[in-house]
Amino acid sequence: LFDGFIIKTYAEGGEEVALSSKEAIPLKEYSPLMSSVPGIPFRLDSIRIDVDEIQISTEKGTLLTWELPNGSVEDQGNFYKCREKTTVYWSPLTKDGALANQGKLIISAFKAGKEVIKAEISIKEISQAKYSAELLSLISKPSMSK
């Protein structure tokens, strides 16, 4: 949690956890061929600040959204704009069908057109179908005036 912004995912044991800059978190096992979810989920929430828009980008892998209960998965490519309380899935599957063994997510939150939060998350394959996520940096520059 940083100045009212939190990024959650699922740890190896299946429990929902918030990413922190203190350590890499081994994630719940994920394989595109054997998983019931389309990718590794990242839930984006603001707590004490309101944000108008969140932008997410990745250099490797693909960003996906998943509409429940109909199960519709949409490929968002390498860039996606959304609102808070959204879950975005990172898939290691690339456009050419290969699997990326690492990825980086850049997440920016905006209020009134100004960037107030910027986070960088590293995702690495630590063994076959097992990944870890680490919050590399988080810069918070919100105006807390109401």
Side-chain angles (χ1 to χ4, degrees):
L1 177 64
F2 296 89
D3 285 336
F5 197 75
I6 192 166
I7 303 166
K8 296 179 183 174
T9 190
Y10 289 90
E12 191 172 33
E15 68 276 7
E16 187 177 52
V17 295
L19 292 179
S20 91
S21 59
K22 296 179 182 176
E23 63 184 304
I25 296 174
L27 299 174
K28 187 173 180 183
E29 189 169 329
Y30 175 74
S31 166
L33 302 175
M34 298 173 54
S35 183
S36 61
V37 296
I40 297 169
F42 292 92
R43 181 162 170 87
L44 314 169
D45 292 318
S46 61
I47 307 297
R48 295 186 308 263
I49 60 173
D50 292 321
V51 296
D52 302 322
E53 179 179 88
I54 297 173
Q55 297 178 3
I56 306 157
S57 63
T58 185
E59 296 171 356
K60 296 182 179 177
T62 307
L63 300 172
L64 305 168
T65 54
W66 187 22
E67 296 294 325
L68 294 175
N70 68 9
S72 171
V73 175
E74 287 194 39
D75 183 341
Q76 303 298 337
N78 299 103
F79 181 79
Y80 181 60
K81 290 182 183 182
C82 62
R83 308 278 296 167
E84 65 175 310
K85 300 188 185 327
T86 297
T87 301
V88 176
Y89 296 83
W90 178 82
S91 172
L93 197 58
T94 62
K95 297 280 184 205
D96 63 2
L99 288 176
N101 60 2
Q102 64 181 356
K104 187 183 290 185
L105 297 179
I106 306 294
I107 301 169
S108 297
F110 295 85
K111 175 69 176 171
K114 294 184 179 182
E115 185 179 57
V116 293
I117 304 283
K118 185 169 187 172
E120 189 174 316
I121 298 170
S122 172
I123 304 167
K124 293 182 182 172
E125 186 176 35
I126 52 179
S127 66
Q128 189 170 351
K130 290 192 180 235
Y131 292 83
S132 68
E134 181 178 8
L135 186 63
L136 296 179
S137 67
L138 192 136
I139 301 168
S140 175
K141 31 189 172 172
S143 168
M144 296 305 277
S145 60
K146 294 190 178 192

